[in-house]
Amino acid sequence: MTVISNHPTTSDRERAGAALQATLADLLDLSLVAKQAHWNLRGPRFRSVHVQLDEVATTARNHADAVAERAAALGVSPDGRASTVAATSGVPASASGWIKDTDAVEALVHALSAVIGRVRGRIEETGQVDVVTQDLLIGLTAELEKQNWMFRAENQI
């Protein structure tokens, strides 16, 4: 009889867990950056950018949930506390106050690019330790790159 284990080794679980935790912090922060711009948006393209910002926030929140649940499935406790997100996120800080539509688009391009770059690195890191986590990160990257493309098209940056 063969015993099948679906759990990675402790070392692999820790590496996958670290990648998932870092991604969770980035996604939670990205959702907040998108909402901050969403609430403070001004300009002639208000409606279209306002809706697009909500799409980013929803995408980030939905993927954050999947990432946190994957960590929990691996036996790694996800940490989405504000203090942890603030201390570990790689998302560029957002400005306070009203934001012009073109500035919001540019800010989201930079925020999305930062998260995409970080997640792409984690795809490489998790490839040898947990292909399920890697697959989750690949799907996330595809969604973030789609959002980034849409924002880039807004400002043609």
Side-chain angles (χ1 to χ4, degrees):
M1 181 166 156
T2 303
V3 175
I4 299 173
S5 172
N6 63 352
H7 296 287
T9 66
T10 300
S11 173
D12 289 351
R13 185 175 61 245
E14 288 172 357
R15 288 175 61 194
L20 290 163
Q21 178 57 47
T23 302
L24 177 61
D26 286 349
L27 289 172
L28 292 173
D29 199 10
L30 178 63
S31 73
L32 294 172
V33 166
K35 276 307 209 179
Q36 179 68 21
H38 172 88
W39 296 322
N40 287 283
L41 191 66
R42 297 289 186 256
R45 296 183 324 205
F46 170 84
R47 176 81 173 131
S48 64
V49 174
H50 186 77
V51 169
Q52 206 170 347
L53 289 164
D54 244 354
E55 290 173 8
V56 170
T58 299
T59 296
R61 280 194 310 265
N62 289 344
H63 281 280
D65 192 50
V67 163
E69 288 175 356
R70 177 64 187 156
L74 289 173
V76 176
S77 176
D79 187 352
R81 296 173 299 159
S83 59
T84 301
V85 172
T88 61
S89 171
V91 178
S94 61
S96 62
W98 305 116
I99 187 167
K100 187 176 172 186
D101 52 6
T102 53
D103 294 340
V105 168
E106 186 173 340
L108 261 291
V109 166
H110 293 297
L112 285 161
S113 295
V115 175
I116 290 164
R118 289 167 56 92
V119 175
R120 279 187 166 276
R122 295 177 197 130
I123 290 169
E124 294 296 321
E125 293 169 13
T126 57
Q128 297 300 313
V129 298
D130 184 34
V131 294
V132 176
T133 296
Q134 182 187 46
D135 184 60
L136 181 73
L137 297 178
I138 290 168
L140 164 62
T141 302
E143 285 294 318
L144 295 177
E145 286 179 348
K146 176 182 171 186
Q147 292 292 336
N148 199 19
W149 159 62
M150 290 183 180
F151 274 105
R152 284 183 179 279
E154 279 284 338
N155 268 359
Q156 298 178 352
I157 341 183

